[in-house]
């Protein structure tokens, strides 16, 4: 746990960057600091590893006051990811990733082996290990930046706008993969961004800071959207926060069982099982596509399947579920488990019903708060997976 | 100082010779470097060859090059052509890279727009690329000008006269006044060249009138 | 003409003794080495400091402006002023050495400064943030990344020293310049041109050696051999301007 206790940072010129900040970033969770430029979010982050020294107040990690520790030692125990990657251009990718382990005295072969492992972990092929940063795209460099921060397996990570410098498509992809990674690793992460969408997508809790370094509100994303503490937060979160709220689902989507057929089954069987003229074709429980009753031929064949329609994950967002329902030719959106197996289908009307329920009954704490690994989280499907 | 006052005529005529020996190579070098630099910019594979080749020429020390020029040109050692030719070689060595950098500095979208509007070949080069490359080329020219003015004075050692004569005489005959006149004359000439190039570049790029002069690679 | 130069170069008499080519070459290399070590000891730490701290940038500006002073004038002025104050060989060599050091400083300073200044602030921040001590940041990030520009400054300084040491023969310094100056004085063009060829050869050899050294010690990640994600680099050195 990272704890800020009445932390203030005043610069010699008299500007106050952070003003009496008190907050806790719980162990194993992602805490996002978000706010307009000049709100002191980056300053706050950089005070944790003492890149900036606080003027007053204390910052502790798991109960240890950081001021009492040697800065270099402190930093080696904290993963640090910054906006432009900050990769060392003269070092190979594996040497970059191995930086902290080598600083800590790990022998080279162990450190490099670990670096290659981490490359795969962040979704890059091991073949990139011997390349140099200039040979990688911006998105790849950011992944290497994350791998480098993970190299010494620090319990705590500081991330300063790590995905801001890449294009929106890549950013979405990086965010999704980052969440998947975090589900496995359970690091204590302090994450800075100016992008409220990113904050809501990634944060277990979000701290909104206002200019001058005051904490405006600290809450879970859904709580923030439903009950902004004041006009500033409401304004910052935006008018389309109702739409943003679709990013959450309390519990599991109410999918209904859907009869299926397999490729090679007779057209007769398909007609028997079809609902409203469409039947879902699966292979080993994985959805392949929709078969329209009355298609030519007496067998269900792969060529006859209507493709299109995105898949919604069981614990995914309401937005994805609605998209899935509206894009399916049958009007029934396909919901799959995290393993990609069929969980059932649901109609647009059913999704809207869930939205209505959430709107009225949103006083209890959202399910995602306590243990992010147990509770299904948002899953973006980049590019839209087609059954 | 009285020495300088007594010899203003001599100083003036030597300064004119110095300006010619340093200035002509600047113009010749620019004329040769523009097509060379354009070729290296246009055909990227040529760039390393052109840059390495001209770079090697630049490594030859000035006194050695002055002395070796007659071998290449068949001239007499005292012929000022030797100095002009050697200085032209140095100028080209400096400017080819500058021209490549200058053409590279033309914003890609501007160049693409010119292409899209149907400007081709020479018209795109003269109408769009070259004018936009002027600030960078001018900065390189300023470096070459200051360098040329200093190097030309070495030619006095081989007997080609210009302001360097004052340095040599001042040293040989122990006349501090002459030595100072030579040094100050060279500095003044370098400053004059620098100002002329900046003014010409400014006149050629009226759209940059309100902005600061290009600083890239320029002698401060 | 060419045959007489060739004959001069091949004459065994010119390959031994106090005025022999090996001796003169050794002298030239010796002066160059002394000057480079002295100049580097002054300029490199200074340039690294200015680039690292961003303080005292006027030093770079001043050093660049000082380049407009004609080398010949500087050489003569210092010899005239300092020569009579010294005795023996020192009267000839010391002023020259000082001038050569002064001339070598600006390119070295500019190269070291530009190199460190070119280090991506994000890389520096990351290095510090990962727990490197200031000395480690300098040694394993700033210096290696600064190396291409720093070495280009070394190259410029080295060539300038070799060139100006030749001219310094006029004020009594030894080295290969003796053949040029003495040859010109006695009208012996074969000796003059032979010496000029030797000097040119020495400069080319030094340049190639330094290019090879650069290739050996600079990380391939920095040479622009690889294309970046955006932007195309011209392969080869980034040069620091210098004079002959």
């Amino acid at each position: 746990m990272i704890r800020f206790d009445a932390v203030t940072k005043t610069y010699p010129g008299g500007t106050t960057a952070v003003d009496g900040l008190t907050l806790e970033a719980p162990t194993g969770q992602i805490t996002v600091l978000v706010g307009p430029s000049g709100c002191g979010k980056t300053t706050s982050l950089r005070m944790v590893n003492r890149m900036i020294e606080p003027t007053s107040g204390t910052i502790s990690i798991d109960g240890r006051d950081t001021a009492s520790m040697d800065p270099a030692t402190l930093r080696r125990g904290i993963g640090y990811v910054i906006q432009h990657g900050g990769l060392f251009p003269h070092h190979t990718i594996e040497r970059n990733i191995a930086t902290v382990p080598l600083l800590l005295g790990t022998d080279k072969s162990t450190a490099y082996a670990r670096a290659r492992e981490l490359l795969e972990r962040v979704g890059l092929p091991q073949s990139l290990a011997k390349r140099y940063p200039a040979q990688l795209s911006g998105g790849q460099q950011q992944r290497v930046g994350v791998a480098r921060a993970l190299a010494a397996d620090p319990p705590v990570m500081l991330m300063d706008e790590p995905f801001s410098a890449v294009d929106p498509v890549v950013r979405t992809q990086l965010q999704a993969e980052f969440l998947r990674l975090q589900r496995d690793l359970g690091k204590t992460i302090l994450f800075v961004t100016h992008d409220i969408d990113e904050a809501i997508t990634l944060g277990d809790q979000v701290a909104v800071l206002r200019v001058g370094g005051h904490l405006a509100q600290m809450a879970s994303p859904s709580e923030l959207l439903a009950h902004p503490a004041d006009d500033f937060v409401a304004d910052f979160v935006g008018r389309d926060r109702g739409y943003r709220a679709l990013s959450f689902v309390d519990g599991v989507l109410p999918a209904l069982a859907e009869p299926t057929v397999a490729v090679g089954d007779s057209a007769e069987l398909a007609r028997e099982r079809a609902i409203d003229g469409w039947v879902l074709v699966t292979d080993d429980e994985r959805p392949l596509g929709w078969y329209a009753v009355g298609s030519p031929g007496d067998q269900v064949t792969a060529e006859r399947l209507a493709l299109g329609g995105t898949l919604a994950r069981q614990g995914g967002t309401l937005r994805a579920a609605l998209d899935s329902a509206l894009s399916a030719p049958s009007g029934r959106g396909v919901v799959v488990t995290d393993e990609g197996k069929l969980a059932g289908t649901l109609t647009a009307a059913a999704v809207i019903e869930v939205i209505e329920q959430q709107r009225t009954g949103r006083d209890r704490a959202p399910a995602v708060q306590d243990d992010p690994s147990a509770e299904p989280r948002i899953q973006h499907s980049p590019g839209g997976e087609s059954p | 100082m009285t020495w300088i006052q007594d010899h203003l005529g001599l100083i003036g005529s030597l300064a004119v010779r110095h300006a010619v020996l340093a200035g002509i190579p600047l113009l010749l070098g620019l004329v040769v470097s523009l097509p060379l630099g354009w070729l290296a910019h246009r055909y990227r594979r040529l760039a390393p060859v052109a840059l390495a080749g001209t770079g090697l020429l630049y490594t030859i020390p000035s006194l050695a090059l002055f002395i070796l020029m007659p071998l290449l040109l068949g001239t007499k050692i005292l012929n000022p052509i030797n100095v002009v030719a050697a200085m032209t070689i140095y100028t080209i060595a400096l400017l080819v890279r500058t021209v490549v950098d200058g053409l590279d500095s033309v914003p890609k979208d501007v160049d693409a727009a010119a292409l899209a509007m149907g400007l081709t070949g020479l018209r795109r080069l003269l109408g769009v690329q070259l004018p936009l490359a002027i600030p960078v080329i001018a900065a390189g020219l300023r470096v070459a000008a200051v360098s040329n003015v200093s190097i030309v004075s070495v030619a006095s050692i081989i007997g080609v006269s210009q302001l360097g004569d004052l340095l040599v005489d001042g040293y040989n005959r122990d006349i501090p006044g002459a030595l100072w006149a030579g040094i100050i004359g060279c500095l003044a000439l370098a400053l004059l060249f620098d100002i002329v190039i900046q003014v010409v570049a400014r006149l050629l790029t009226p759209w940059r009138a309100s902005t600061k002069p290009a600083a890239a690679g320029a002698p401060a | 003409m060419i045959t007489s130069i060739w004959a001069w170069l091949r004459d065994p008499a010119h390959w031994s003794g106090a005025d022999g080519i090996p001796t003169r070459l050794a002298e030239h290399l010796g002066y160059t080495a002394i000057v480079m070590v002295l100049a580097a000891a002054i300029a490199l730490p200074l340039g690294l400091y200015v680039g690292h701290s961003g303080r005292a940038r006027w030093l770079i500006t001043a050093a660049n402006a000082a380049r407009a002073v004609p080398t010949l004038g500087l050489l003569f002025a210092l010899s005239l002023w300092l020569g009579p104050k010294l005795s023996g060989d020192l009267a000839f060599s010391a002023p020259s050495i000082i001038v050569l050091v002064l001339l070598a400083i600006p390119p070295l300073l500019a190269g070291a400064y530009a190199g460190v200044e070119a280090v991506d602030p994000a890389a520096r921040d990351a290095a510090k943030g990962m727990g490197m001590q200031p000395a480690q940041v300098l040694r394993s990030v700033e210096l290696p990344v600064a190396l291409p520009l720093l070495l280009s400054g070394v190259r410029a300084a080295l060539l300038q020293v070799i060139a100006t040491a030749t001219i310094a023969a006029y004020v009594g310094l030894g080295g290969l310049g003796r053949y040029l100056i003495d040859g010109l004085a006695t009208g012996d063009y074969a000796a003059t041109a032979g010496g000029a060829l030797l000097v040119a050869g020495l400069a080319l050899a030094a340049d190639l050696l330094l290019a090879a050294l650069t290739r050996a010690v600079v990380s391939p990640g920095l040479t622009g051999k690889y294309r970046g994600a955006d932007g195309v680099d011209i392969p080869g050195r980034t040069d620091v301007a210098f004079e002959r």
Side-chain angles (χ1 to χ4, degrees):
Chain A
M1 181 180 74
I2 306 167
R3 186 176 158 75
F4 286 75
D5 212 345
V7 174
T8 296
K9 176 67 193 180
T10 310
Y11 284 106
T15 352
T16 300
V18 179
D19 192 8
L21 181 67
T22 298
L23 68 81
E24 275 178 19
T27 303
Q29 296 197 16
I30 302 175
T31 302
V32 179
L33 301 179
V34 67
S37 71
C39 72
K41 52 190 191 293
T42 294
T43 306
S44 303
L45 182 95
R46 289 165 67 89
M47 284 192 290
V48 175
N49 63 353
R50 295 182 59 191
M51 298 289 277
I52 297 174
E53 297 287 348
T55 311
S56 66
T58 55
I59 298 172
S60 60
I61 297 175
D62 293 332
R64 282 191 70 186
D65 185 355
T66 53
S68 68
M69 300 166 74
D70 167 55
T73 315
L74 171 74
R75 290 171 193 153
R76 288 173 197 178
I78 298 176
Y80 187 53
V81 189
I82 54 180
Q83 184 171 358
H84 292 283
L87 299 185
F88 303 141
H90 59 302
H91 283 164
T92 57
I93 298 305
E94 59 185 359
R95 178 72 180 75
N96 260 290
I97 297 175
T99 303
V100 178
L102 291 176
L103 277 174
L104 291 170
T106 309
D107 71 281
K108 203 169 151 182
S109 60
T110 314
Y112 278 29
R114 167 97 177 126
R116 285 159 180 275
E117 219 174 272
L118 278 164
L119 265 181
E120 298 226 312
R121 200 87 204 241
V122 297
L124 292 173
Q126 291 202 2
S127 59
L128 294 184
K130 294 278 179 217
R131 301 238 186 134
Y132 288 92
Q135 296 171 279
L136 268 55
S137 70
Q140 288 174 321
Q141 292 188 24
Q142 281 306 340
R143 288 167 200 249
V144 175
V146 173
R148 186 171 66 172
L150 288 170
D153 201 17
V156 174
M157 303 243 294
L158 304 176
M159 307 181 79
D160 189 0
E161 308 234 5
F163 308 135
S164 302
V166 293
D167 68 75
V169 175
V170 176
R171 190 184 313 149
T172 309
Q173 214 173 322
L174 289 175
Q175 287 168 348
E177 289 178 22
F178 170 63
L179 280 175
R180 177 177 53 74
L181 203 61
Q182 166 65 357
R183 238 184 328 185
D184 295 347
L185 301 174
K187 302 285 184 194
T188 305
I189 296 173
L190 201 57
F191 190 109
V192 160
T193 180
H194 62 267
D195 176 2
I196 184 68
D197 281 312
E198 183 166 73
I200 284 166
T201 307
L202 300 181
D204 293 311
Q205 49 272 310
V206 177
V208 183
L209 300 178
R210 71 172 96 228
V211 178
H214 302 274
L215 180 62
Q217 186 174 7
M218 168 93 171
S220 73
S222 53
E223 176 69 13
L224 199 68
L225 293 169
H227 303 297
D230 56 23
D231 287 349
F232 169 77
V233 178
D235 219 38
F236 189 73
V237 168
R239 291 190 206 293
D240 51 349
R241 64 178 190 267
Y243 179 66
R244 287 207 174 94
L246 296 183
S247 296
F248 303 95
V249 54
D250 285 342
V252 171
L253 289 169
L256 299 171
E258 178 78 26
T260 62
V261 293
V263 169
D265 282 350
S266 69
E268 193 54 40
L269 184 69
R271 187 190 310 280
E272 273 171 30
R273 296 196 177 163
I275 303 171
D276 297 338
W278 290 92
V279 62
L280 186 66
V281 183
T282 56
D283 174 32
D284 188 23
E285 293 184 57
R286 282 165 204 281
L288 293 179
W290 292 95
Y291 177 81
V293 171
S295 301
D298 52 7
Q299 258 193 349
V300 175
T301 60
E303 298 84 61
R304 295 264 141 71
L305 296 183
L307 302 172
T310 52
L311 294 176
R313 297 204 185 248
Q314 214 165 11
T317 68
L318 290 168
R319 211 185 288 188
L322 195 58
D323 187 39
S324 162
L326 292 174
S327 60
S330 62
R332 303 193 294 280
V334 179
V335 180
V336 294
T337 63
D338 281 346
E339 289 75 42
K341 302 204 168 175
L342 179 67
T345 59
L346 84 180
T347 61
V351 179
I352 288 168
E353 201 173 311
V354 176
I355 295 171
E356 288 298 328
Q357 280 170 11
Q358 286 203 356
R359 179 176 290 191
T360 51
R362 194 192 272 283
D363 279 336
R364 60 206 168 88
V368 288
Q369 182 99 2
D370 301 314
D371 183 358
S373 61
E375 203 63 41
R377 291 297 310 272
I378 313 118
Q379 284 285 330
H380 286 269
S381 33
E385 299 162 63
S386 288
Chain B
M1 286 305 113
T2 49
W3 190 94
I4 295 179
Q5 278 161 12
D6 293 346
H7 297 82
L8 278 178
L10 172 70
I11 296 171
S13 66
L14 288 176
V16 170
R17 288 183 61 93
H18 201 117
V20 171
L21 289 174
I24 300 273
L26 225 45
L27 295 175
L28 288 176
L30 185 62
V31 167
V32 177
S33 301
L34 285 175
L36 272 181
W38 177 78
L39 279 173
H41 165 78
R42 178 77 181 69
Y43 304 98
R44 302 309 295 189
R45 284 166 187 282
L46 281 181
V49 181
L51 295 177
T54 52
L56 277 184
L57 286 177
Y58 200 68
T59 61
I60 301 173
S62 54
L63 186 57
L65 193 60
F66 289 157
I67 287 169
L68 293 173
M69 277 333 283
L71 278 185
L72 300 172
L73 302 174
T75 44
K76 290 261 188 287
I77 183 87
L78 287 174
N79 195 330
I81 296 289
N82 296 328
V83 176
V84 172
M87 295 316 299
T88 305
I89 288 175
Y90 287 147
T91 308
I92 293 170
L94 277 180
L95 285 188
V96 170
R97 175 178 285 279
T98 297
V99 172
V100 176
D101 288 347
L103 291 174
D104 286 350
S105 78
V106 175
K108 294 271 178 293
D109 48 351
V110 174
D111 200 27
L115 193 63
M117 285 186 289
L119 288 168
T120 52
L122 204 59
R123 295 189 61 178
R124 186 161 115 246
L125 176 66
L126 296 179
V128 178
Q129 294 174 321
L130 215 47
L132 291 179
I134 284 174
V136 176
I137 295 176
L141 209 53
R142 290 171 64 194
V143 174
V146 171
S147 155
N148 278 11
V149 169
S150 174
I151 297 173
V152 161
S153 62
V154 173
S156 290
I157 295 179
I158 57 160
V160 174
S161 74
Q162 25 63 39
L163 287 173
D165 288 12
L166 298 176
L167 304 173
V168 173
D169 275 358
Y171 173 73
N172 283 339
R173 292 155 59 197
D174 202 353
I175 314 170
L179 203 49
W180 280 116
I183 292 175
I184 294 168
C186 283
L187 283 174
L189 206 56
L191 191 65
L192 183 70
F193 272 60
D194 200 52
I195 291 170
V196 168
I197 294 167
Q198 286 196 66
V199 168
V200 172
R202 192 70 64 88
L203 290 176
L204 287 174
T205 57
W207 60 91
R208 303 180 72 248
S210 59
T211 58
K212 290 186 291 180
Chain C
M1 183 70 83
I2 291 175
T3 44
S4 66
I5 298 168
W6 187 233
W8 182 88
L9 279 173
R10 291 190 36 162
D11 186 347
H14 297 137
W15 286 89
S16 62
D19 193 36
I21 291 169
T23 315
R24 292 297 182 207
L25 182 63
E27 281 173 358
H28 211 112
L29 289 174
Y31 298 138
T32 305
I34 292 170
V35 168
M36 287 302 288
V37 168
L38 288 175
I42 297 167
L44 293 186
L46 213 54
L48 292 177
Y49 170 76
V50 176
H52 175 83
S53 66
R55 281 182 211 147
R57 268 179 237 243
W58 59 267
L59 263 176
I60 313 294
T61 317
N64 275 328
R67 292 186 197 190
V69 178
T71 49
L72 200 63
L74 197 60
L75 192 64
F76 289 167
L78 209 68
S79 300
L80 217 51
W81 175 70
L82 205 61
K85 297 186 165 71
L86 302 164
S87 59
D89 275 356
L90 214 57
F92 295 113
S93 55
S96 302
I97 301 276
I98 292 172
V99 168
L100 291 176
V101 169
L102 287 178
L103 289 174
I105 285 176
L108 288 172
L109 197 60
Y113 163 76
V116 174
E117 236 241 334
V119 176
D120 179 9
R124 197 179 282 144
D125 187 66
K128 198 177 158 202
M130 286 188 296
M132 287 191 191
Q133 308 280 8
Q136 286 173 319
V137 177
L138 181 69
R139 198 182 62 235
S140 50
V141 179
E142 289 180 322
L143 208 51
V145 175
L147 217 48
L149 279 168
L150 189 147
L151 284 174
S152 135
V154 171
R155 167 180 178 262
L158 180 65
L159 292 174
Q160 171 127 33
V161 169
I162 290 175
T164 312
T166 312
I167 298 170
Y170 198 92
V171 296
L173 196 69
L176 293 171
R178 285 257 61 85
Y179 299 126
L180 286 77
I181 300 300
D182 296 346
L184 282 167
T186 58
D188 182 356
Y189 186 71
T192 312
L197 280 177
L198 290 173
V199 168
L202 176 63
L204 285 175
D207 188 32
L208 293 177
L209 198 71
L210 207 62
L213 178 76
T214 302
R215 190 157 303 183
V217 299
V218 170
S219 157
L222 296 171
T223 50
K225 203 161 79 182
Y226 303 119
R227 281 166 177 222
D230 38 30
V232 184
D233 294 313
I234 306 172
R237 295 177 295 235
T238 315
D239 283 322
V240 170
F242 67 104
E243 277 170 32
R244 313 284 3 109

